[in-house]
Amino acid sequence: MSSVASQVILHPIVSQSLKVLGTNLGRDKLYRAIQYFSRFLSWYLLVKGYKIEAARWNALKNHLALGRKLMRLGKPVEHLQAALRASQSTGEIAEQITTICRQVGYFGYLTYDALVWANTVKFFNLKPSTAQKVGKNANRFWLAGILFSIAHGLFKAGRIANEVSKLRSGHLTDKGENVDREVKRNALRVAREATRQQFTIDILDLWIPASNLGLTNLNDGVLGIFGLVSSVSGPSTEKLSERYVSSLITSLIAFRQQWIAVTSK
């Protein structure tokens, strides 16, 4: 039994999971995924008439949302730094402007979100009308940040498409130039996939602040699914899922076989 436990506990996927969850980004991705799954499940149970079970999952959703606000207290400064670095960089002017605006939008969102957290935990008390305004401003900045992120993705995708077209139309005869072209093509392919992934995440996340502001009327079930999908689509979970899913399956099969062998004695 000890050997079975050792193989499971010390398995590479367990170690890799601990490394991912040992970072703020990894924990936030996990908590966010559970938060939005809880939002969907709470809505589904409520529709089916299971009020007690729905209240349990709704409470989990609310506590995870509050915990994530605490984890993000230092994030506004990071986005402000990113905006400053973008303003000092060189490149396509449209991408540069949208990057700056996106980072400023997220800075405003997380700053107001910190005030929401402080009011919720009673660190200081805001009037109900003031608290409502703070929450709306947080969602306005969040929505603005996502819209600028979408615009940035469109500009970047257009630039990448133009660069790929130039590579395809070029007439290179030197072997070294052909190798250089292949390297550039691979780099553009990676950048294009990353841009598409971020664009998909932004399109899904867009509806959450829009619904909070009353601009759309999507129910919690749809928003929960959107939030869950965008949470598991991020780069911190992508590496884990692609690299270790097959290893996890193999480990579970081996664990089952050893469990049967031990218990049958």
Side-chain angles (χ1 to χ4, degrees):
M1 292 295 293
S2 60
S3 62
V4 175
S6 297
Q7 289 186 12
V8 174
I9 296 174
L10 300 178
H11 196 275
I13 190 173
V14 177
S15 301
Q16 181 65 20
S17 300
L18 292 175
K19 289 180 180 179
V20 173
L21 297 178
T23 64
N24 284 337
L25 178 60
R27 286 194 298 270
D28 185 65
K29 283 287 185 180
L30 175 63
Y31 296 164
R32 191 178 193 271
I34 299 175
Q35 173 191 339
Y36 281 100
F37 173 75
S38 301
R39 184 171 185 172
F40 161 75
L41 192 56
S42 175
W43 168 85
Y44 178 78
L45 292 171
L46 192 60
V47 170
K48 294 296 183 179
Y50 300 102
K51 296 183 179 179
I52 297 177
E53 291 80 1
R56 181 182 298 119
W57 286 97
N58 187 62
L60 177 61
K61 177 202 72 175
N62 292 334
H63 283 290
L64 284 172
L66 189 61
R68 290 182 60 234
K69 293 180 190 299
L70 174 61
M71 291 171 57
R72 298 195 301 258
L73 287 182
K75 291 285 289 181
V77 180
E78 292 182 18
H79 288 286
L80 201 59
Q81 289 180 340
L84 182 59
R85 285 194 291 267
S87 66
Q88 298 172 345
S89 64
T90 58
E92 294 291 331
I93 186 65
E95 293 182 38
Q96 184 180 18
I97 293 175
T98 51
T99 297
I100 295 172
C101 293
R102 176 183 60 182
Q103 298 297 343
V104 171
Y106 289 148
F107 165 77
Y109 157 55
L110 293 173
T111 300
Y112 277 104
D113 202 50
L115 297 177
V116 172
W117 170 83
N119 181 63
T120 304
V121 301
K122 306 301 181 183
F123 184 75
F124 54 75
N125 295 318
L126 297 176
K127 296 180 180 179
S129 58
T130 304
Q132 186 177 12
K133 290 180 181 178
V134 169
K136 283 189 175 182
N137 285 334
N139 281 285
R140 289 189 184 108
F141 275 107
W142 186 11
L143 180 60
I146 294 175
L147 290 174
F148 280 115
S149 183
I150 291 174
H152 173 81
L154 292 174
F155 285 124
K156 188 173 182 179
R159 175 178 59 80
I160 292 174
N162 289 334
E163 292 183 8
V164 170
S165 179
K166 290 179 181 179
L167 283 177
R168 289 176 178 173
S169 61
H171 301 284
L172 302 179
T173 56
D174 184 77
K175 184 177 179 180
E177 291 180 343
N178 286 325
V179 172
D180 186 57
R181 174 196 285 181
E182 187 63 28
V183 172
K184 290 181 180 179
R185 183 182 291 115
N186 289 334
L188 290 172
R189 187 182 301 114
V190 172
R192 181 171 55 192
E193 290 302 318
T195 302
R196 287 177 177 174
Q197 183 186 47
Q198 186 59 50
F199 185 80
T200 302
I201 292 173
D202 290 334
I203 290 297
L204 292 172
D205 284 344
L206 173 70
W207 303 100
I208 301 173
S211 296
N212 293 340
L213 293 170
L215 301 177
T216 61
N217 57 353
L218 298 180
N219 60 50
D220 280 353
V222 175
L223 296 176
I225 292 297
F226 284 178
L228 175 61
V229 173
S230 66
S231 297
V232 301
S233 299
S236 64
T237 57
E238 182 182 9
K239 180 180 179 181
L240 182 65
S241 60
E242 290 182 354
R243 189 175 177 182
Y244 292 101
V245 165
S246 60
S247 179
L248 174 61
I249 295 174
T250 303
S251 176
L252 291 175
I253 293 174
F255 174 79
R256 180 177 179 274
Q257 291 174 346
Q258 293 193 34
W259 177 267
I260 293 174
V262 171
T263 55
S264 61
K265 292 181 180 179

